[in-house]
């Protein structure tokens, strides 16, 4: 039996155990390879992830969502024709059992989602935030999906910034941020020539993709989708973009931004109460990426309401300790947003 332990902010860890590698364990280790604990390091274990090749959906399981989610007295089952995953939660910890052919993306998403749910027990919270260190300033950009967090973070890295996080960042109640070094997904990223060269991507294929996107037609749409999914939409380590390493420690935040789409790029205003509400909503939305995980889990495990309340307490504490600056972004203009944030003093 092989065992790995994955740490989160050097505060707690998740244990992954298996006899034989599966596509799910490979993905989890690939995403978290820079967050593995050494053999002598010890942290509280919040989650167990194990592979059980004999895992099956029990007879008599109650179907909660057709063809996807089932319930027994022992836990919840995510079941399809080709994949099965079992979840069992207690107030202090969780357990994920993966079938030998468990879907890799859903397995990783489920693990990350449960880690976010239990993090408030340690006065930590995962925010939907991109973060980096630029010219000595620790900058975080929070937003709903599609506003441009990743683009601004990569724009900064190209100009010498240090990476902290992409999709999610780990913050403590003081409003300090810890690097979350899972892989960066370059989905629909507007590549610059510098980035194309650095990642050894063809500028001619990128121009073809851009041309197809801006000239309607079924064939052109298929070409653009294929290039995006098979060639340009990739996951990579931040070290593929910058050679500058980021120390594994908590950093006090210099500039904390909340960004929203609008018809103009400018500074705006957000109250601390609205910030807490919007960040809570961001986390709820992420828990519904495949289906309403959040709702079904709280129905099965009512004690998770306490975890949600603790999450809100940590968010409220962050809002008290960090000044949140709001900005609006004109039509997903990432350059405008980057310039506004990076040049702000």
């Amino acid at each position: 039996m092989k065992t790995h332990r994955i740490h989160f902010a050097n505060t707690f860890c998740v244990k992954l155990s298996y006899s034989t590698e599966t596509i799910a364990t490979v993905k989890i280790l690939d995403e978290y390879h820079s967050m593995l604990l050494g053999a002598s390091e010890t942290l509280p274990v919040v989650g167990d992830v194990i592979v059980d090749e004999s895992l099956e959906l029990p007879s008599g399981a109650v179907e909660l969502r057709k063809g996807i989610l089932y319930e027994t007295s022992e836990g919840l089952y995510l079941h399809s024709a080709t994949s099965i995953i079992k979840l069992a939660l207690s107030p202090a910890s969780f357990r994920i059992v993966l079938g030998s052919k468990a879907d890799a993306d859903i397995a990783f998403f489920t693990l990350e989602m449960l880690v976010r749910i239990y993090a408030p027990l340690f006065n930590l919270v995962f925010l939907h935030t991109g973060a980096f260190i630029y010219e000595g300033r620790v900058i975080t950009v929070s937003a709903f999906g599609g506003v441009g967090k990743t683009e601004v973070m990569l724009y900064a890295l190209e100009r010498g910034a240090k990476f902290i996080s992409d999709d999610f960042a780990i913050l403590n109640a003081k409003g300090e941020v810890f690097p979350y070094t899972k892989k960066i997904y370059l989905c629909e990223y507007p590549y610059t020539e510098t980035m194309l060269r650095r990642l050894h991507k063809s500028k001619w294929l990128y121009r073809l993709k851009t041309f197809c996107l801006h000239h309607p037609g079924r064939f052109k749409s298929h070409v653009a989708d294929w290039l995006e999914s098979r060639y340009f939409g990739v996951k990579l380590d931040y070290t593929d973009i910058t050679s500058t390493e980021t120390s594994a420690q908590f950093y006090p935040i210099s500039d904390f931004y909340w960004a929203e789409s609008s018809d103009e790029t400018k500074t705006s205003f957000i109250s601390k109460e609205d910030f807490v509400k919007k960040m809570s909503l961001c986390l709820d939305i992420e828990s519904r990426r495949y289906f309403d995980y959040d709702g079904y889990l709280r129905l099965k495990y009512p004690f998770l309401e306490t975890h949600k309340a603790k999450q809100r307490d940590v968010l409220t504490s962050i809002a008290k300790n960090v000044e949140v600056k709001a900005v609006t972004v004109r039509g997903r203009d990432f350059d405008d947003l980057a310039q506004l944030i990076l040049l702000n003093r």
Side-chain angles (χ1 to χ4, degrees):
M1 179 73 73
K2 295 181 180 179
T3 300
H4 303 274
R5 291 172 302 144
I6 304 160
H7 83 85
F8 296 89
N10 283 336
T11 304
F12 63 89
C13 73
V14 167
K15 186 167 65 174
L16 171 64
S17 305
Y18 57 91
S19 297
T20 305
E21 279 189 346
T22 68
I23 57 172
T25 60
V26 169
K27 180 176 180 64
I28 291 168
L29 291 173
D30 184 47
E31 289 279 359
Y32 287 141
H33 71 90
S34 62
M35 297 163 59
L36 297 178
L37 282 175
S40 62
E41 298 175 276
T42 59
L43 289 174
V45 178
V46 168
D48 270 311
V49 184
I50 66 168
V51 175
D52 180 355
E53 297 181 16
S54 64
L55 182 65
E56 294 181 352
L57 182 67
S59 60
V62 177
E63 188 176 58
L64 298 179
R65 183 167 178 137
K66 187 172 178 60
I68 299 178
L69 188 66
Y70 299 81
E71 178 186 19
T72 71
S73 60
E74 296 180 348
L76 295 175
Y77 289 78
L78 287 75
H79 180 269
S80 68
T82 58
S83 176
I84 182 168
I85 299 172
K86 177 185 174 183
L87 308 181
L89 280 60
S90 72
S93 63
F94 63 85
R95 184 179 179 86
I96 302 174
V97 184
L98 305 174
S100 58
K101 296 182 179 179
D103 182 280
D105 289 331
I106 295 179
F108 175 74
F109 171 78
T110 300
L111 170 58
E112 188 179 43
M113 180 266 303
L114 288 174
V115 167
R116 294 198 303 264
I117 288 174
Y118 283 80
L121 300 182
F122 298 87
N123 287 316
L124 300 176
V125 68
F126 284 68
L127 295 191
H128 200 225
T129 297
F132 50 89
I133 304 172
Y134 181 73
E135 294 184 349
R137 297 156 56 211
V138 179
I139 299 172
T140 65
V141 185
S142 298
F144 294 118
V147 172
K149 301 184 305 302
T150 296
E151 287 77 3
V152 171
M153 182 271 298
L154 292 172
Y155 185 104
L157 289 189
E158 286 190 61
R159 287 153 181 79
K162 290 184 179 181
F163 175 83
I164 292 180
S165 70
D166 171 32
D167 194 33
F168 280 98
I170 308 174
L171 277 79
N172 61 21
K174 299 177 184 177
E176 298 171 327
V177 62
F178 195 97
Y180 185 41
T181 52
K182 72 170 189 175
K183 289 198 167 183
I184 303 167
Y185 186 25
L186 298 185
C187 178
E188 298 181 1
Y189 175 68
Y191 284 86
T192 62
E193 289 207 10
T194 301
M195 186 69 77
L196 288 168
R197 285 196 304 272
R198 188 168 291 161
L199 299 180
H200 308 292
K201 298 292 182 182
S202 167
K203 68 178 180 180
W204 302 110
L205 287 179
Y206 187 68
R207 289 176 182 177
L208 174 61
K209 190 196 88 160
T210 304
F211 173 82
C212 290
L213 282 174
H214 291 91
H215 293 79
R218 180 174 296 181
F219 176 73
K220 295 185 182 71
S221 177
H222 284 315
V223 171
D225 289 345
W226 189 91
L227 286 171
E228 177 61 36
S229 62
R230 300 296 182 89
Y231 188 70
F232 290 107
V234 298
K235 284 197 168 186
L236 69 161
D237 288 315
Y238 79 90
T239 52
D240 294 331
I241 304 171
T242 174
S243 59
T244 306
E245 294 283 348
T246 307
S247 300
Q249 65 183 62
F250 279 101
Y251 293 90
I253 296 172
S254 309
D255 300 280
F256 199 130
Y257 292 94
W258 170 262
E260 291 186 349
S261 296
S262 181
D263 57 359
E264 185 179 2
T265 302
K266 63 178 182 179
T267 56
S268 183
F269 171 80
I270 183 171
S271 68
K272 295 183 183 298
E273 294 78 11
D274 281 347
F275 170 76
V276 171
K277 289 178 182 176
K278 290 181 177 182
M279 292 312 307
S280 297
L281 179 58
C282 278
L283 293 172
D284 288 348
I285 290 171
E286 284 299 309
S287 295
R288 299 168 187 159
R289 185 181 300 174
Y290 289 102
F291 52 87
D292 189 1
Y293 248 132
D294 191 66
Y296 285 116
L297 283 172
R298 282 191 280 169
L299 178 66
K300 176 69 174 176
Y301 301 106
F303 57 78
L304 293 181
E305 295 292 348
T306 304
H307 295 56
K308 294 285 289 186
K310 180 64 175 174
Q311 181 186 86
R312 191 176 182 85
D313 289 343
V314 178
L315 287 171
T316 300
S317 177
I318 291 170
K320 288 179 179 178
N321 286 304
V322 180
E323 179 187 356
V324 181
K325 306 172 185 178
V327 294
T328 59
V329 189
R330 175 175 59 89
R332 290 172 58 91
D333 193 324
F334 309 129
D335 285 340
D336 269 14
L337 178 61
Q339 290 291 333
L340 180 66
I341 288 174
L342 298 186
L343 296 180
N344 184 31
R345 293 289 189 269

